[in-house]
């Protein structure tokens, strides 16, 4: 029997966000075909947006994703179900999610040695102005750095490439982790809420990575609408948010998962580089 090969593709600002949106009534009411559509979109580019039309119990709907993706990941501000409110209703020192300020590109759990693999963000109330969601491809970023610094991108894979510290949490690890040919990313920028220190040898490559993620042509920008749930691979997609006026009632719910759920056995995590890390900029891997 032939097994379908799944190839995860890099993306940039030209990707049509609509291609990654799956309209459903609710998570709890998804058909088998809709479940397959969710997983196929996740595998294709590392993220999917569920456009839920039934908003009668959106809190429970978000929790129901655990049936597919496993256990909630811990967070210092989570409620007893693991859900974190992402809004500016009450400021908490060290957490940009509790402010209306710009949240620079990052992966969740960069302060932990074992970050969560799946992130979700549910829109309860969007901001009328600002508060745009930003996504970027870790594969595209890796390939870019490999071309700019031929043979040197692997400095970002050293075990002490980056130290990220927030309040009592701190982790020193690789920016690009390795599992055979596959890579994963763990990343945070200097955003004022975290102390981010690259190793001296990785400094130049890290700064180039930051420039790549800040360039508008390398990332998607879109507005999540009420009922939308963004689901993303935290090892392949970097995310952020534009600022919004303090008076806007923007309200999101974050619930991340450990990827131990039954759907995760057939999901792709991480990415395959398209540019060799060991040769010059024209040395493309034979894919």
């Amino acid at each position: 029997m032939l097994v379908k090969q799944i190839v995860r593709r890099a993306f940039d600002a030209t990707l049509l966000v609509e291609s990654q949106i799956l309209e459903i009534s609710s998570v709890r009411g998804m058909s088998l075909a809709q479940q397959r559509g969710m997983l196929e979109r996740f595998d294709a580019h590392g993220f999917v947006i569920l456009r839920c039309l039934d908003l009668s119990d959106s809190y429970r709907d978000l929790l129901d994703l655990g049936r597919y993706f496993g256990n909630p990941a811990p967070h210092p501000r989570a409620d007893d179900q693991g859900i974190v409110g992402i809004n500016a209703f009450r400021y908490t020192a060290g957490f940009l999610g509790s402010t209306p300020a710009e949240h620079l590109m990052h992966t969740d759990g960069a302060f932990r040695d074992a970050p969560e693999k799946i992130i979700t963000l549910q829109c309860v109330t969007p901001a009328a102005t600002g508060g745009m969601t930003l996504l970027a491809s870790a594969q595209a970023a890796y390939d870019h750095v490999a071309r700019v610094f031929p043979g040197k991108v692997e400095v970002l894979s050293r075990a002490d490439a980056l130290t990220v510290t927030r309040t009592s949490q701190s982790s020193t690890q690789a920016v690009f982790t390795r599992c055979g040919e596959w890579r994963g990313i763990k990343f945070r920028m200097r955003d004022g809420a975290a102390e981010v220190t690259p190793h001296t040898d990785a400094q130049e490559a890290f700064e180039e990575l930051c420039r790549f993620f800040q360039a508008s042509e390398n990332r998607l920008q879109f507005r999540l609408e009420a009922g939308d749930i963004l689901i993303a691979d935290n090892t392949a997609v970097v995310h952020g948010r534009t600022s919004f006026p303090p008076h806007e009632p923007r309200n999101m719910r974050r619930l991340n998962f450990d990827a131990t759920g039954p759907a995760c056995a057939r999901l792709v995590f991480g990415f395959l580089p398209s540019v060799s890390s060991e040769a010059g900029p024209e040395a493309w891997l034979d894919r």
Side-chain angles (χ1 to χ4, degrees), residues 24-30 50 52 61 64-65 67-68 229:
I24 61 175
S25 174
S26 63
V27 172
R28 57 193 181 278
M30 274 198 295
L50 301 182
C52 302
D61 222 30
D64 278 350
L65 287 174
R67 294 188 298 164
Y68 305 102
I229 302 175

Side-chain angles (χ1 to χ4, degrees), residues 42 65-74 112 114-120 231-235 255-270:
F42 181 96
L65 287 174
R67 294 188 298 164
Y68 305 102
F69 303 132
N71 302 307
R112 302 172 57 216
E116 48 268 52
K117 294 182 73 173
I118 297 176
I119 65 170
T120 76
I231 305 169
D233 179 355
N234 196 40
T235 70
L255 180 61
N256 294 350
F257 296 97
D258 62 4
T260 60
C264 298
R266 56 94 59 217
L267 290 177
V268 172
F269 290 98

Side-chain angles (χ1 to χ4, degrees), residues 34-35 52 60-61 101 105 124 150-151 154 159 161 172 175 214 252:
Q34 289 172 333
Q35 293 172 29
C52 302
R60 173 53 56 183
D61 222 30
M105 305 298 278
V124 180
E154 288 304 309
T172 299
V175 174
Q214 284 299 91
M252 305 280 168

Side-chain angles (χ1 to χ4, degrees), residues 143-220:
D143 290 346
H144 170 78
V145 175
R147 287 191 292 266
V148 173
F149 300 108
K152 297 182 180 179
V153 68
E154 288 304 309
V155 297
L156 294 173
S157 295
R158 57 183 295 158
D160 57 355
L162 191 67
T163 298
V164 183
T165 302
R166 178 180 66 187
T167 60
S168 62
Q169 297 174 290
S170 184
S171 176
T172 299
Q173 278 193 330
V175 174
F176 290 117
T177 57
R178 301 187 65 169
C179 183
E181 292 184 349
W182 285 80
R183 302 289 193 275
I185 190 170
K186 182 184 177 203
F187 177 76
R188 183 93 181 198
M189 296 178 67
R190 298 185 181 95
D191 53 21
E195 182 180 343
V196 179
T197 308
H199 189 279
T200 302
D201 293 346
Q203 175 76 38
E204 191 176 23
F206 175 77
E207 297 296 344
E208 185 62 32
L209 196 61
C210 292
R211 283 191 289 271
F212 179 90
F213 283 133
Q214 284 299 91
S216 60
E217 64 268 24
N218 298 327
R219 60 192 194 183
L220 294 173

Side-chain angles (χ1 to χ4, degrees), residues 13 39 62 69 222 283:
L39 302 183
L62 184 61
F69 303 132
F222 56 93

